[in-house]
Amino acid sequence: QVQLVESGGGLVQAGGSLRLSCAASGRTLTGIVMGWFRQAPGKERQFVAAIRWSIGSTYYADSVKGRFTISRDDAKNTVYLQMNRLTPEDTAVYYCAGGSIVVVNTAARYAYWGQGTQVTVSS
């Protein structure tokens, strides 16, 4: 299996930026999809972004296009989520996930999950 550990969350003012990191261990990530999801209190888990590890193809939810960027460091087995121009609606627990999947925006298809990191954006 793959174990995932997120970091980089925190409190930031609207308009600010954060970079989340997800470090993976257990095996190499070649051949799988790595993604970011978020969940606010009382709401369903929402797809944010994903990357196909081997080829680097990226996917984004409409709500974050142009503001967030997902990237990878193959040597470090780490995926990043650069979040710019944050708004209060971005406040949520952000989860890193991975799996061998086709539909990248469906949480149920991901096999591996981190514990989450809190992102809070103040107005």
Side-chain angles (χ1 to χ4, degrees), residues 37-47 92:
F37 290 77
R38 66 188 183 186
Q39 188 166 24
K43 298 183 179 180
E44 66 182 18
R45 191 162 295 187
Q46 179 186 47
F47 171 74

Side-chain angles (χ1 to χ4, degrees), residues 73-95:
D73 185 329
D74 188 47
K76 297 175 66 176
N77 266 200
T78 299
V79 63
Y80 304 96
L81 185 69
Q82 178 66 46
M83 305 186 294
N84 298 324
R85 290 178 280 127
L86 287 161
T87 76
E89 292 192 357
D90 295 316
T91 295
V93 177
Y94 283 70
Y95 297 90

Side-chain angles (χ1 to χ4, degrees), residues 24-80:
S25 62
R27 69 173 179 87
T28 60
L29 302 180
T30 302
I32 71 170
V33 173
M34 295 295 296
W36 289 95
F37 290 77
R38 66 188 183 186
Q39 188 166 24
K43 298 183 179 180
E44 66 182 18
R45 191 162 295 187
Q46 179 186 47
F47 171 74
V48 176
I51 183 167
R52 293 195 181 275
W53 196 265
S54 61
I55 61 176
S57 300
T58 58
Y59 310 84
Y60 296 95
D62 288 343
S63 60
V64 306
K65 284 181 179 178
R67 299 189 298 122
F68 291 11
T69 303
I70 189 170
S71 61
R72 74 196 194 283
D73 185 329
D74 188 47
K76 297 175 66 176
N77 266 200
T78 299
V79 63
Y80 304 96

Side-chain angles (χ1 to χ4, degrees), residues 105-123:
N105 65 347
T106 304
R109 301 298 300 274
Y110 286 77
Y112 318 114
W113 290 87
Q115 67 179 17
T117 185
Q118 177 71 48
V119 172
T120 302
V121 184
S122 62
S123 60

